[in-house]
């Protein structure tokens, strides 16, 4: 963060030197009021050029060139996701986050961190991957390499880019190998591994993770290869006031026969080789922490159980159509397709 900071006592020539050292990155400096004061403005090459054209000398204070009307986020801003989305659309690449007194608490480079989702994430990585044997005899499926790195790391990177830093991975089969893999940070995130002492289903292990009482958590299978927009899914979830949002992929069933429409013993019409389109569960969810914290730990709960129980109790379950890449790496053919895609 420090390389983007310059204090108001610095000269314009000092700012030029600092900008030169940012070459190849985001060429913006954030000006603070004194060494440790609140943020006062921003300065770029263009700002300095315009100041020089006005006759401002190089040894003048940087405040003579800086832009005082700057955009920023506030800490704990409920509208941070929408605001950052707007700033991205405006082409603003460096966004300061200010505390209550106006001091810079962090800097967001939108080329690296695209959004700031106020959620945690749980990746389910306890399965044995039996259909992928012999590849998974000594290697847990999430650690199989696709595109030069483990499958699960692609998902960790995508979550980190969405501003998610509280990430847990539930482990069971060959747990020690996944734990060793995450002994060092991944994509700048210290990932927590949570052991599942017995199979708790496709959702039950979430009950073993520490979750705040309020808010939502992204829960997903760790062996997916997808380019889903977590930001779009989160905004969909919030706009629909959902308890659970499930990502859904289009799935078409083609019937290779003529289908009869009947009324008792009579045939009313025929449809030749029809196709039916549905949405299928993609194994990615945003779920209220209230629901996740209520999951039992003494028996298994699948995601479908939780959704059915929520619907039966009058809760809101919505779906988010996933239009991009989605591969569930469950078979050798799926694994080969994922590897080809990432070549």
């Amino acid at each position: 963060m420090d390389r983007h900071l310059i204090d108001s006592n610095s000269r314009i020539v000092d700012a030029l030197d600092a900008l030169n050292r940012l070459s190849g990155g985001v060429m913006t400096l954030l000006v603070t009021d004194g060494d440790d004061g609140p943020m006062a403005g921003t300065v770029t090459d263009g700002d300095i050029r315009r100041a020089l054209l006005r006759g401002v000398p190089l040894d003048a204070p940087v405040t003579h060139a800086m832009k005082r009307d700057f955009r920023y986020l506030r800490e704990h801003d409920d509208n941070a996701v929408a605001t950052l989305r707007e700033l991205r659309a405006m082409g603003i690449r460096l966004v300061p986050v200010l505390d209550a007194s106006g001091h810079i608490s962090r800097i967001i480079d939108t080329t690296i961190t695209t959004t700031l989702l106020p959620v945690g994430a749980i990746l389910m990585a306890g399965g044995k991957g039996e259909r992928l044997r012999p590849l998974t005899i000594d290697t847990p499926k999430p650690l199989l390499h696709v595109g030069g790195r483990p499958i699960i790391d692609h998902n960790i990177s995508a979550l980190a880019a969405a501003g998610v830093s509280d990430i847990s991975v539930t482990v069971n089969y060959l747990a020690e190998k996944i734990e060793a893999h995450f002994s060092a940070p991944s994509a700048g995130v210290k990932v927590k591994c949570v052991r599942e002492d017995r199979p708790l289903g496709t959702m039950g292990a979430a009950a073993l993770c520490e979750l705040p009482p309020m808010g939502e958590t992204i829960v997903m299978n760790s062996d997916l290869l997808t380019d889903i927009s977590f930001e779009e899914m989160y905004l969909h979830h919030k706009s629909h006031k959902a308890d659970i949002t499930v990502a859904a992929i289009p799935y078409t069933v083609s019937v290779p026969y003529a289908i009869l429409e009947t009324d008792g013993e009579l045939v009313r019409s025929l449809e030749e080789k029809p196709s039916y389109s549905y949405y299928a569960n993609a194994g990615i969810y945003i779920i209220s922490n209230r629901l996740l914290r209520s999951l039992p730990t003494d028996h298994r709960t699948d995601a479908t159980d939780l959704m059915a129980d929520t619907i039966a109790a009058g809760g809101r379950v919505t779906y988010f159509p996933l239009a991009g890449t989605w591969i569930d790496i469950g078979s050798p053919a799926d694994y080969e397709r994922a590897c080809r895609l990432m070549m």
Side-chain angles (χ1 to χ4, degrees), residues 192-208:
K192 294 169 286 188
C193 290
V194 178
R195 284 220 184 193
E196 185 182 18
D197 57 3
R198 62 182 180 279
L200 290 173
T202 58
M203 186 59 64
L208 304 176

Side-chain angles (χ1 to χ4, degrees), residues 51-79:
L52 295 177
L53 288 171
R54 295 196 308 269
V56 177
L58 281 172
D59 61 353
V62 70
T63 52
H64 286 50
M66 77 179 186
K67 184 177 180 182
R68 298 176 185 274
D69 181 20
F70 57 90
R71 302 298 298 268
Y72 60 91
L73 291 177
R74 285 287 185 188
E75 282 185 338
H76 314 301
D77 182 355
D78 292 338
N79 296 315

Side-chain angles (χ1 to χ4, degrees), residues 232-248 279 281 284-287 307 310-311 315-321:
E232 294 283 357
M233 186 174 179
Y234 173 80
L235 292 172
H236 173 98
H237 177 85
K238 298 301 285 187
S239 67
H240 288 82
K241 297 180 171 62
D243 297 299
I244 301 174
T245 296
V246 54
Y279 277 110
N281 184 351
I284 306 170
Y285 316 87
I286 298 179
I287 304 175
M307 287 190 286
T310 302
I311 293 168
R316 292 180 61 81
V317 178
T318 67
Y319 72 95
F320 173 73

Side-chain angles (χ1 to χ4, degrees), residues 31 44 64 249 294 298 313:
V31 184
T44 65
H64 286 50
I249 55 167
S294 71
D298 58 350

Side-chain angles (χ1 to χ4, degrees), residues 178-197:
I178 299 178
E179 290 168 345
H181 177 71
F182 287 118
S183 61
S186 176
V189 176
K190 179 58 179 174
V191 177
K192 294 169 286 188
C193 290
V194 178
R195 284 220 184 193
E196 185 182 18
D197 57 3

